[in-house]
Amino acid sequence: MMRRTTLEVPCTVEIANTFDSLHAHVDLEGVDVGPGDEVIVHDAPTTCARGETIRVRRTATVIRGNWLDRLKAKAEGYLELTELYEVGFEGRPS
C-alpha cells in the first residue's frame, strides 16, 4: 500500500469582500504544495461581510500525494488543458 505523509502547519487565511476584490487566500508557512497534495484548513472562516477583509491565523493539515497521486493530477491537468485547444475557426458565410 502506498502511504501518504501528513503535516500540520500554521497558515494565514485572508478573505476579502470589497468593491475592488472578492477573494480567499491561504498562505502555508514553510511548506510548498504540489500536484496531488491536499490541504485542509481547520476552523477557517466561511463568511465575510461586504466591505471587509478578514485575516486570521489557523492550522492546516497538508496531505502529501504519493507518486500515483502526482501522476494522476498531472495527467488530469494536461487533459483539462487540451480541452482548451478544441476551438474551431470558421470563416463567415458570404
Side-chain angles (χ1 to χ4, degrees):
M1 182 174 184
M2 292 180 268
R3 297 190 149 245
R4 299 176 80 191
T5 306
T6 303
L7 306 166
E8 296 286 327
V9 295
C11 66
T12 302
V13 178
E14 179 180 288
I15 301 174
N17 185 1
T18 64
F19 178 76
D20 295 327
S21 181
L22 175 63
H23 70 263
H25 295 284
V26 176
D27 291 321
L28 302 172
E29 290 186 14
V31 143
D32 290 326
V33 293
D37 293 345
E38 297 177 35
V39 177
I40 302 169
V41 178
H42 303 286
D43 196 29
T46 56
T47 59
C48 182
R50 286 188 195 135
E52 288 190 4
T53 299
I54 298 172
R55 182 176 277 210
V56 293
R57 303 273 301 148
R58 295 291 187 256
T59 302
T61 301
V62 177
I63 304 168
R64 294 286 193 192
N66 55 37
W67 69 270
L68 187 57
D69 296 328
R70 293 189 190 290
L71 180 64
K72 181 181 171 188
K74 287 180 182 180
E76 288 174 354
Y78 178 76
L79 293 173
E80 297 266 336
L81 179 65
T82 57
E83 286 182 19
L84 296 175
Y85 298 145
E86 296 177 12
V87 177
F89 295 97
E90 298 178 15
R92 291 186 177 171
S94 313

